[in-house]
Amino acid sequence: GLVTAARGRGTFVKPMVLGTATFGLQALEDLFNAEDTAVRFLSVKTISATPRISRALSVPVEDRVISIRRLLTRRGIPIAYHREYLIFDPARPIVEAEMGITTLQGLFEGLGQSVLKRGDLAIEATTITEEESRLLHLPKGEAAFRIEHTFFDFEERAVSWGWFIVRGDRLRFNATVGAQAPVR
């Protein structure tokens, strides 16, 4: 698959195509699943949905939603700050499920105990805000990753929306471009 041949034209080496490079989430999974990663809840409360939360969760503005804030540490060092909003429904076990795990950790482990069917993730570069600076022990304006997520139940309804702010010095994504290295 490294060369192409065209009758009457010759044999050509295929160029590297950057569009086919895939960045896996192993680094992210490792960060959340490490034995020495601890989760501390900063707050859990019901609030009124803002217009932004309303759009993300498809609930009316002012409907009650659950707001969760957590701090993830590794070996005592703050590595990620998580803000999440959940649909408020006392009849559904989503809150109890969320209280026991970090959302991404539960999906990565795939234990089949989740009330979540799937999640959409978006990763982008950001800078640390003043609040995040205090929590992550970094200067305001420091580089970080913002990992936004929306999780859906088995009826395809958004039940959770939020984002992780992960220190830029704690997460690295890798990919191989072009021919894969031979397996030894």
Side-chain angles (χ1 to χ4, degrees):
L2 298 177
V3 296
T4 59
R7 182 170 282 193
R9 291 185 55 218
T11 302
F12 304 93
V13 175
K14 285 186 178 178
M16 286 192 295
V17 181
L18 291 178
T20 61
T22 301
F23 288 86
L25 295 178
Q26 186 64 46
L28 188 60
E29 182 177 351
D30 292 346
L31 190 69
F32 288 101
N33 286 340
E35 286 182 14
D36 53 0
T37 298
V39 178
R40 185 179 80 185
F41 285 87
L42 303 174
S43 70
V44 178
K45 60 186 175 184
T46 58
I47 63 169
S48 296
T50 64
R52 188 173 172 203
I53 296 168
S54 168
R55 282 189 305 277
L57 294 176
S58 298
V59 298
V61 173
E62 298 296 322
D63 256 23
R64 290 172 54 194
V65 295
I66 298 163
S67 167
I68 299 177
R69 304 281 188 274
R70 341 174 207 231
L71 185 65
L72 284 75
T73 59
R74 191 165 193 190
R75 293 185 210 106
I77 298 170
I79 55 170
Y81 172 50
H82 185 214
R83 295 177 64 164
E84 180 176 31
Y85 302 94
L86 303 162
I87 299 283
F88 179 76
D89 182 353
R92 300 178 81 196
I94 184 76
V95 175
E96 289 80 2
E98 286 296 296
M99 295 296 289
I101 59 168
T102 63
T103 308
L104 290 177
Q105 180 185 20
L107 284 185
F108 286 139
E109 289 175 354
L111 298 176
Q113 299 169 347
S114 177
V115 295
L116 305 174
K117 175 183 177 185
R118 68 177 180 86
D120 292 337
L121 302 177
I123 301 172
E124 62 186 6
T126 190
T127 56
I128 299 290
T129 65
E130 194 155 326
E131 175 189 23
E132 296 157 356
S133 169
R134 279 187 292 100
L135 293 166
L136 296 173
H137 303 164
L138 291 173
K140 181 180 174 192
E142 186 83 14
F145 290 102
R146 183 178 192 273
I147 305 168
E148 185 172 339
H149 62 78
T150 304
F151 291 101
F152 298 86
D153 64 12
F154 285 88
E155 282 130 27
E156 287 299 319
R157 293 179 301 196
V159 293
S160 165
W161 169 72
W163 59 93
F164 290 87
I165 300 297
V166 182
R167 294 172 56 130
D169 62 345
R170 298 293 171 167
L171 190 58
R172 181 182 173 120
F173 296 98
N174 298 299
T176 299
V177 181
Q180 300 293 316
V183 178
R184 296 176 194 222

